[in-house]
């Protein structure tokens, strides 16, 4: 089976309606929805903020260590079926501590599942704490310190949430600190914001990958820079369409960026909300954008190279594509 790396998925965005109801029952909470169908009927978003409002509201069912472990395990099980062999997952720590959940309990729950991902699912994994850009720099630093103090292994830090009007430069200090501590750095940019937001995370946060980044497409000088500096973009096709950043999959800039030499990867972002997991995104872009087998293979190899996995893991995953002659992609089954 050929291997993929998923580099842009928010664990809280994998919270399926069925699990929301199950956790609410387990934790004795009443949800403001009649049933699962009622909840799903609200998954029609005008923009990023409309989505975020529901996403933050739904995650209040996550209260105890085992809730976070169950959430993470369910994602890993589904990701394995999608062909994912490396998962670098995002976790919005402040969205939990901000409503009274202990940082250590939440992180330990996630780690309970991640630490067994290889044994259970053949997936090596890493945890990236995504700081929320609508909150203050002080809050970000506090979250970073809580995460470090928990003792849970961290792969890196990231930046997400409301993009427009929340400049990344406010977070330079915490990103410098994480880098000095040996962590990797990524940030969302160019999802709703224009190309200047992408430049901003490159220049002020000095991130190694840009999450989304699709708005760079309108700025040829920036595209050249992404190619020259080989900065990966973790692109999320379903997400962009469902949040109205891109009109439809058939006009998604993924193919254009790929053909111009940008190291793009395909990811699911918040699959429980946007209509599918990594395999669903791949099947859809392949069809809608007419990607060749070689281009699909390049997307897979990009995801492996752009991951923060150790060299021997990357080599093992990349080798799954070796036996395929150019012109075939093999099945993910
Ligand atoms: N948090 C979860 N999903 C996100 C997205 N698509 N953009 C920004 N922040 C997010
Ligand atoms: Zn995201």
């Amino acid at each position: 089976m050929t291997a993929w790396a998923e580099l842009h998925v928010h664990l809280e965005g994998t919270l399926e309606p069925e699990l929301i109801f199950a956790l609410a029952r387990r934790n004795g909470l009443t949800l403001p929805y009649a049933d699962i169908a009622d909840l799903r009927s609200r998954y029609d978003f005008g923009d990023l903020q409309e989505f975020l409002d529901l996403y933050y509201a739904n995650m209040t069912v996550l209260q105890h260590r085992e809730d976070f472990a169950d959430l993470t395990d369910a994602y890993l099980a589904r990701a394995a079926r999608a062909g994912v062999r490396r998962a670098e997952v995002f976790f919005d720590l402040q969205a939990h501590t901000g409503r009274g959940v202990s940082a250590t309990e939440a992180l330990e729950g996630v780690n309970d599942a991640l630490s067994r991902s290889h044994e259970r699912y053949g997936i090596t994994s890493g945890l990236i704490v995504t700081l929320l850009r609508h909150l203050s720099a002080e809050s970000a630093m506090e979250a970073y310190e809580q995460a470090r103090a928990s003792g849970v292994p961290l792969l890196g830090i990231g930046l997400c949430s409301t993009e427009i009007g929340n400049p990344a430069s406010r977070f330079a200090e915490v990103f410098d600190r994480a880098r000095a501590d040996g962590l990797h750095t990524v940030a969302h940019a160019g999802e709703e914001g224009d190309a200047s937001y992408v430049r901003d995370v490159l220049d002020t946060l000095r991130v190694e990958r840009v999450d989304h980044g699709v708005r760079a497409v309108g700025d040829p000088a920036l595209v050249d820079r992404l190619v020259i500096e080989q900065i990966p973009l973790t692109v999320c096709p379903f997400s962009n369409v469902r949040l109205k950043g891109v009109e439809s999959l058939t006009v998604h800039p993924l193919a254009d960026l790929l053909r111009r030499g940008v190291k793009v990867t395909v990811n699911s972002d918040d699959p429980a909300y946007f209509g599918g997991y990594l395999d669903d995104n791949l099947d859809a872009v392949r069809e809608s954008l007419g990607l060749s087998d070689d281009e699909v293979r390049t997307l897979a190899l990009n995801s492996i190279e752009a991951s923060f996995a150790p060299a021997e893991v990357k080599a093992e995953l990349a080798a799954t594509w070796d036996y395929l002659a150019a012109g075939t992609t093999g099945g993910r089954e």
Side-chain angles (χ1 to χ4, degrees), residues 309-324:
E312 63 276 13
V313 171
K314 289 188 185 189
E316 187 192 326
L317 301 190
T320 65
W321 291 89
D322 281 353
Y323 72 94
L324 294 169

Side-chain angles (χ1 to χ4, degrees), residues 233-252:
L233 301 185
T234 64
V235 175
C236 307
F238 279 4
S239 168
N240 297 147
V241 173
R242 295 290 283 265
L243 299 185
K244 313 280 193 285
V246 173
E247 207 174 289
S248 74
L249 280 185
T250 52
V251 296
H252 195 286

